[in-house]
Amino acid sequence: MPSPKPSFALREALRSAERNPFMSFLSVAAVAAALAVAGAWMLLQANTQLLLAGFEQRVEVVAYLRTGLAPEAVSATASALAALPGVRSMELVSPDEAARALSRDPELKKYLEVLGRNPLPASVRLRMETEDPARLRILAEQSKALPGVDEVDYGREAVERLLKAFSVVRWLLSAVAGLLGAVALLVVANILKLTAHSRRAELSIMRLVGAPGWFVRLPFLLEGMLQGVLGGLLAAGGLYVLGQALAARALAELQVDLGSFMPQGIDLGFCLRLVGLGLALGFVGGLFAAGRNTRP
Amino acid sequence: MIEFQAVSKSYPGDISALRQVDLRVADGEFVFLSGPSGAGKSTLLKLLYRAETASAGRVLMEGVDLGRLPAHKVPALRRRLGIIFQDFKLLYDRSVWDNVAFALEVQGLPSAEVRRETQAALEGVGLMAKARLNPHRLSGGEQQRVAVARALAHDPAVVLADEPTGNLDADTSWEVFSLLKRANEKGATVLVASHNAMMMQALNCRVVRLRDGRVDDDGAAQPTLFSPQGVGDAQP
């Protein structure tokens, strides 16, 4: 038994999308709002990952050696530190090198001159393979246990606070994005359901003349997907404009180039991901709407 | 062949629409279903286009048990039927032409054939001159003729009409029944639920009388005085 041609089904779907422009606008706006938050989340996620990766590469443990150690003891301690598990590389800084580095600051240079001697100990900078703060702490403790080591500094508090702040912001944005996503899904589904309800007579006639289920459902799916794509484009455009405005303001008022903090910007790939997300959201909304009103 | 075998249909609240109905309709027959409101005429037709399924018994069409027809095969069943309602059930957001063409497009016919058949169907009901109008701009009789054109355009094997002239005057009723009779003469099996005794008499067809969900009588129309001009006036 033949069934309707897809071209006819597509024409019917477009005819349906032309109706109820206000409802369609509401639906698109709901999707756009949800996707804008989701997009902000994606941007934050990507940028914090990239920033953290850079930051973590710079994370190092500095072990200050006891003063007065013989050169052999310094080498032995440095080798013992380099052999600790999780150490990627090691750099030995002699007291003279440390003093030269310190002397770059004129104020500190003055102090050194007043002292008349170099009080700085030799130190060993250890670059880590791990980025886990818990592992850093263990490594610091192991370093400190070595006989030639006096003090260990690894910026523990700063690292831990930063990681915690990122995780709280990420968690908050995830929750808001999830909530708004669910709201957008409900709004799209309910608007399409209202459309289906207002067109139930027409849908019943379609079924009575033998239109197959997919044919009756298709307009709802296409309409949902269209609204999703438009919502995605609107969200990407909104985020782009907002991002540009923020960057301009940051540059003008704080002399900060936000671009340098955001390796992941609002590029084509990002826009496509948002539009794809909108498409999926609209499709699911359309499926919900097509449910009861389109059964034979 | 259409066959009802001990068919009962009840609705929630212990409402029985049909009780143990046995009925056979041969291919090419023209059958009136008559009886007072609530007798079960519409329910009987609904079982045939699978808007409802029987609570007990079997409804067979060409040997297929419609109660067991899977939902995904229902559209294909309906594409073999022509269904006409008292309230026309037209699509009011499109033209008369599009209403008829829609039913043919759903059949999956090529565009040229859709155009040819739509034109033939509208010419058949005398409405080709109004093809571009919206159904809202037509009279009740004209709207029903559009519905008839839509139902008959694809030459269905079975035509089901539920009170097709309930809202129409005598002359228009006669036009509509003439169209149904013509479809029957071309080979379609026609079942019409109607109160119109004059029309039953005029068309001299088999009449199945229903009362309280049972077949009360099955035979020829009761003789009455008949004048085609006054058919719509006589309601039993």
Side-chain angles (χ1 to χ4, degrees):
Chain A
M1 175 66 69
S3 59
K5 287 176 287 192
S7 58
F8 175 58
L10 199 65
R11 274 205 315 276
E12 284 295 313
L14 289 175
R15 179 198 280 265
S16 150
E18 280 170 17
R19 297 184 198 118
N20 293 320
F22 180 67
M23 300 270 255
S24 299
F25 168 76
L26 275 186
S27 212
V28 169
V31 173
L35 289 181
V37 175
W41 177 82
M42 280 157 60
L43 277 179
L44 189 88
Q45 183 82 353
N47 282 310
T48 49
Q49 290 290 5
L50 290 170
L51 277 178
L52 276 180
F55 179 74
E56 281 150 0
Q57 273 172 15
R58 288 195 291 272
V59 168
E60 57 184 19
V61 170
V62 182
Y64 297 100
L65 307 189
R66 291 181 195 287
T67 45
L69 281 183
E72 299 78 36
V74 168
S75 315
T77 307
S79 302
L81 284 166
L84 285 175
V87 173
R88 196 179 58 202
S89 64
M90 177 271 284
E91 185 194 350
L92 178 63
V93 181
S94 69
D96 290 346
E97 283 167 334
R100 270 200 298 280
L102 209 64
S103 299
R104 283 189 209 118
D105 185 319
E107 286 293 317
L108 294 173
K109 190 180 179 186
K110 255 190 256 169
Y111 284 118
L112 285 176
E113 282 167 3
V114 169
L115 277 173
R117 63 183 178 86
N118 182 3
L120 299 173
S123 60
V124 178
R125 292 175 177 277
L126 299 172
R127 289 275 162 90
M128 318 309 302
E129 278 168 357
T130 180
E131 53 217 33
D132 177 10
R135 274 295 299 143
L136 277 180
R137 196 181 306 126
I138 293 170
L139 207 79
E141 282 162 8
Q142 287 173 335
S143 306
K144 204 171 176 186
L146 291 174
V149 175
D150 185 25
E151 271 302 324
V152 175
D153 179 16
Y154 68 103
R156 185 188 67 196
E157 284 194 1
V159 173
E160 285 180 358
R161 207 177 299 151
L162 196 66
L163 289 174
K164 205 167 185 176
F166 278 143
S167 99
V168 167
V169 173
R170 259 189 231 165
W171 186 88
L172 269 179
L173 266 182
S174 302
V176 173
L179 198 71
L180 271 182
V183 168
L185 194 68
L186 282 176
V187 169
V188 173
N190 277 302
I191 285 175
L192 289 174
K193 223 166 198 170
L194 276 179
T195 311
H197 188 72
S198 68
R199 290 175 50 205
R200 64 193 184 283
E202 184 189 337
L203 295 176
S204 98
I205 294 165
M206 286 185 178
R207 293 194 301 268
L208 283 174
V209 298
W214 67 264
F215 178 89
V216 183
R217 276 190 290 274
L218 190 68
F220 292 96
L221 296 182
L222 288 181
E223 206 173 330
M225 290 196 290
L226 190 69
Q227 288 173 357
V229 167
L230 286 176
L233 287 173
L234 211 63
L239 282 178
Y240 179 76
V241 170
L242 195 72
Q244 291 294 311
L246 267 178
R249 194 146 181 194
L251 199 62
E253 293 184 11
L254 307 169
Q255 282 78 48
V256 171
D257 178 15
L258 277 187
S260 61
F261 291 103
M262 289 181 60
Q264 166 68 61
I266 301 170
D267 54 12
L268 185 66
F270 173 78
C271 292
L272 284 178
R273 279 204 298 283
L274 268 195
V275 169
L277 213 60
L279 190 78
L281 202 66
F283 181 80
V284 176
L287 268 186
F288 274 133
R292 203 159 60 90
N293 280 302
T294 55
R295 284 183 204 140
Chain B
M1 166 78 81
I2 292 168
E3 200 169 356
F4 288 76
Q5 297 175 345
V7 171
S8 296
K9 175 67 188 175
S10 52
Y11 293 102
D14 212 19
I15 300 163
S16 287
L18 293 174
R19 300 161 202 258
Q20 293 289 312
V21 170
D22 286 300
L23 183 67
R24 291 179 76 159
V25 177
D27 288 343
E29 260 195 291
F30 192 119
V31 178
F32 274 105
L33 302 169
S34 81
S37 294
K41 307 184 293 292
S42 296
T43 304
L44 202 132
L45 293 180
K46 281 180 182 169
L47 294 175
L48 287 174
Y49 60 85
R50 252 300 291 270
E52 303 280 1
T53 49
S55 308
R58 297 203 307 164
V59 180
L60 303 171
M61 189 180 284
E62 287 168 15
V64 175
D65 185 344
L66 297 185
R68 289 170 174 268
L69 195 66
H72 71 271
K73 289 192 174 171
V74 171
L77 163 78
R78 290 181 184 163
R79 290 202 288 274
R80 299 178 54 230
L81 307 175
I83 313 174
I84 302 159
F85 298 90
Q86 182 174 356
D87 59 354
F88 323 135
K89 293 204 189 297
L90 297 176
L91 298 165
Y92 289 97
D93 66 333
R94 56 191 85 192
S95 67
V96 165
W97 175 280
D98 287 343
N99 264 276
V100 178
F102 180 84
L104 294 165
E105 295 267 22
V106 164
Q107 300 282 330
L109 297 180
S111 303
E113 203 172 327
V114 168
R115 279 196 295 277
R116 197 169 54 243
E117 297 295 331
T118 303
Q119 184 168 348
L122 285 174
E123 282 170 351
V125 299
L127 282 174
M128 193 52 212
K130 299 191 174 180
R132 296 292 157 206
L133 295 182
N134 186 285
H136 276 307
R137 297 183 59 192
L138 305 184
S139 69
E142 287 173 327
Q143 290 188 43
Q144 191 59 296
R145 276 152 59 199
V146 176
V148 171
R150 179 184 66 191
L152 303 182
H154 59 290
D155 288 327
V158 177
V159 177
L160 307 173
D162 194 357
E163 306 279 6
T165 59
N167 290 335
L168 306 180
D169 62 33
D171 288 349
T172 317
S173 298
W174 179 248
E175 284 175 22
V176 169
F177 273 108
S178 300
L179 293 168
L180 294 178
K181 189 66 185 157
R182 210 188 304 160
N184 175 243
E185 284 162 2
K186 282 166 71 180
T189 305
V190 181
L191 275 89
V192 186
S194 176
H195 290 290
N196 198 323
M198 282 299 193
M199 196 59 71
M200 295 173 204
Q201 178 65 19
L203 295 179
N204 195 24
C205 301
R206 179 181 168 193
V207 178
V208 174
R209 290 183 182 78
L210 294 167
R211 183 177 293 277
D212 295 331
R214 296 180 199 280
V215 176
D216 195 37
D217 186 34
D218 187 352
Q222 300 294 322
T224 52
L225 288 172
F226 165 65
S227 109
Q229 280 71 37
V231 283
D233 303 330
Q235 301 284 324

